[in-house]
Amino acid sequence: MVSRPALPVPEALRDEELIRKHYERMARAGLEEDLGYGPDLTTLSTIAKDQVGRRVLRSRASGVLSGLDAISVLLKVAAEPEWGLGGTVEFRTALSNGDRVQPGKEVALLEGDLRAMLQLERSMLNIVSHASAIATHTAEWVERLPEGVVVRDSRKTLPGLRMLQKRAVVHGGGAPHRWALGDQVMVKDNHVLSQADHSQPGSGAEDAGDVVAAYKLVQHCGQWIEVEVDDLEQLRAILPYKPMQILLDNFSLEETRQAVALRDEHSPATLLESSGGLTLDNAADYGATGVDSIAVGALTHSVTVLDLGLD
């Protein structure tokens, strides 16, 4: 049995203080968007001052929860005097991020100042519905893949929402790719192109030697290194250098099977990751080839919200 290294987990996603800071920044952005252009005259005119209320956060669909801790941070930030909400809202739940829910399931109970609750309702739902959508979609990929094959996300996240989105992938059972440009090395096709021989202007094509040249420039940097290859020729060229991880970009199923055989023969400890052209329908087929992981940008950039409501 070949022993391969474990995929690295970005430190940012394990840093509780950093998580809180990102959620506070997200909360302030949402509050500024809703309350930064003047008071909510609708709520202030129709709801009596100091009126208290109770709302139930309930799931209207099946899915996996995420973003519950972000809601708690939002409510804490919203209690700050600068937002002028005038009261606080208490958030109570017996559930956790990563828990599955069915239609009609009570997720949380909110009690407190009714004016504040109505003004915060949309921000709360936006956060938990979006995060839960990512967790739910990730769980669908996990269910399609063979045991031991990991589904990973990408940096295809919205500015300011990366912490929420990447943590949601984890809550759905996926594994986060690098957090930022600085915590892993990833040699992609554009880096390889920079090593191309420009003595033939207009060629615009990288070759196997360029992949090796780019890898040699980063192999002693002291970080986790993943190298992207576009074809079997590049793979054959880079395998003798035994990189930690290789990304097979847009390989067909047959090419992926050949890539796994080459890896097993020349560098058994190297992790292989498939990316490009992957769908839920072909996930099991790619997972069965022997790759260690698949990377799916759609986990964060193409999801439909999980239907949750405040009743």
Side-chain angles (χ1 to χ4, degrees):
M1 185 70 176
V2 176
S3 176
R4 298 193 181 104
L7 289 167
V9 177
E11 288 297 326
L13 297 182
R14 296 188 287 196
D15 187 331
E16 293 297 330
E17 182 177 357
L18 183 63
I19 292 169
R20 178 182 54 78
K21 287 181 178 178
H22 274 267
Y23 284 171
E24 287 178 349
R25 184 177 64 184
M26 179 179 65
R28 290 191 171 89
L31 290 166
E32 178 64 29
E33 288 169 354
D34 270 346
L35 301 172
Y37 296 88
D40 174 14
L41 296 179
T42 310
T43 297
L44 297 180
S45 300
T46 58
I47 306 299
K49 185 178 180 181
D50 298 327
Q51 184 175 347
V52 297
R54 171 182 291 186
R55 294 291 184 272
V56 175
L57 178 62
R58 197 182 305 276
S59 176
R60 299 169 178 167
S62 300
V64 178
L65 293 175
S66 183
L68 296 178
D69 50 345
I71 295 297
S72 297
V73 173
L74 169 67
L75 294 176
K76 182 178 180 181
V77 172
E80 296 172 354
E82 65 180 287
W83 303 111
L85 293 177
T88 60
V89 177
E90 185 179 355
F91 178 82
R92 297 199 300 272
T93 179
L95 300 178
S96 302
N97 291 324
D99 284 349
R100 289 184 174 271
V101 292
Q102 301 298 326
K105 174 68 176 179
E106 182 177 310
V107 175
L109 179 67
L110 293 99
E111 292 183 303
D113 186 272
L114 188 55
R115 282 184 170 183
M117 196 179 302
L118 291 177
Q119 292 176 86
L120 294 171
E121 176 180 1
R122 179 43 50 197
S123 290
M124 287 189 285
L125 289 174
N126 285 347
I127 289 171
V128 73
S129 296
H130 179 64
S132 297
I134 293 172
T136 300
H137 191 48
T138 302
E140 292 175 345
W141 281 88
V142 172
E143 290 167 0
R144 299 290 182 96
L145 291 171
E147 185 177 357
V149 181
V150 178
V151 61
R152 306 181 78 200
D153 60 14
S154 68
R155 287 189 302 110
K156 295 176 182 178
T157 56
L158 290 172
L161 296 183
R162 180 169 294 175
M163 183 65 77
L164 182 77
Q165 292 179 316
K166 279 187 166 285
R167 277 172 55 79
V169 169
V170 175
H171 297 150
H177 221 290
R178 57 180 177 166
W179 163 254
L181 293 173
D183 62 340
Q184 292 181 33
V185 171
M186 190 167 183
V187 179
K188 295 180 67 65
D189 52 358
N190 286 330
H191 302 111
V192 173
L193 278 168
S194 71
Q195 301 303 311
D197 181 4
H198 298 292
S199 62
Q200 299 178 355
S203 65
E206 67 267 36
D207 60 28
D210 301 326
V211 172
V212 171
Y215 177 72
K216 286 182 176 180
L217 291 173
V218 301
Q219 64 178 333
H220 300 300
C221 68
Q223 288 187 326
W224 182 271
I225 301 173
E226 183 171 8
V227 184
E228 177 182 288
V229 298
D230 296 328
D231 52 45
L232 292 169
E233 181 185 2
Q234 289 183 338
L235 179 66
R236 290 188 184 95
I238 198 65
L239 279 174
Y241 295 87
K242 304 187 184 309
M244 300 172 181
Q245 188 175 18
I246 296 176
L247 177 70
L248 308 175
D249 188 41
N250 286 302
F251 276 45
S252 68
L253 268 172
E254 180 53 35
E255 289 171 333
T256 303
R257 295 186 186 100
Q258 293 180 47
V260 170
L262 287 168
R263 183 275 307 272
D264 292 347
E265 180 180 357
H266 298 288
S267 184
T270 295
L271 295 173
L272 288 184
E273 183 165 271
S274 287
S275 180
L278 302 174
T279 67
L280 284 171
D281 290 336
N282 65 25
D285 293 332
Y286 272 89
T289 62
V291 295
D292 303 283
S293 60
I294 63 173
V296 182
L299 295 182
T300 53
H301 71 55
S302 299
V303 294
T304 301
V305 297
L306 183 67
D307 191 4
L308 301 164
L310 279 175
D311 302 324

